[in-house]
Amino acid sequence: MQQLIAWSQQNGLVIHDDGSVTPNPQAPQGPGGAVAQASAQAMLAAELADVLARATAVDQSTSKALDMNAQSVGSGVAGDPADPGQHGQPADPGGPSQGGHAPA
């Protein structure tokens, strides 16, 4: 990405936050004029789309792996909400009293 940013600056182009590419109105137009700049703009936009697609794929893959890891780790923790066991449940109020004596 850093290489694409440097290349865009050298060729009088601006990369916007949304991934779009436009000519930099402040930069002098290089040899070849507007046609060369339009070609460079199209090439840069295609390269950016490829880099962003690869970054998105890595992000989704990493996110999925982290989710699976969290589920795996979380299932072995006592008192975990995902664990259907009896952890942290109050005693049955209908059961025997603490002293073992029947109520009077």
Side-chain angles (χ1 to χ4, degrees):
M1 203 52 196
Q2 293 298 324
Q3 290 175 344
L4 292 177
I5 292 169
W7 190 87
S8 71
Q9 292 169 344
Q10 293 169 356
N11 288 280
L13 300 169
V14 176
I15 299 172
H16 299 280
D17 290 341
D18 65 356
S20 63
V21 179
T22 59
N24 182 351
Q26 306 292 323
Q29 205 167 67
V35 172
Q37 191 173 41
S39 176
Q41 183 178 345
M43 185 182 77
L44 180 58
E47 287 290 322
L48 280 171
D50 181 55
V51 167
L52 293 174
R54 286 185 287 151
T56 298
V58 168
D59 181 55
Q60 289 173 347
S61 174
T62 303
S63 180
K64 184 177 180 179
L66 288 172
D67 287 346
M68 289 173 60
N69 188 34
Q71 289 174 357
S72 174
V73 170
S75 66
V77 177
D80 182 31
D83 186 0
Q86 297 282 331
H87 307 291
Q89 297 285 331
D92 181 8
S97 66
Q98 291 289 330
H101 300 272

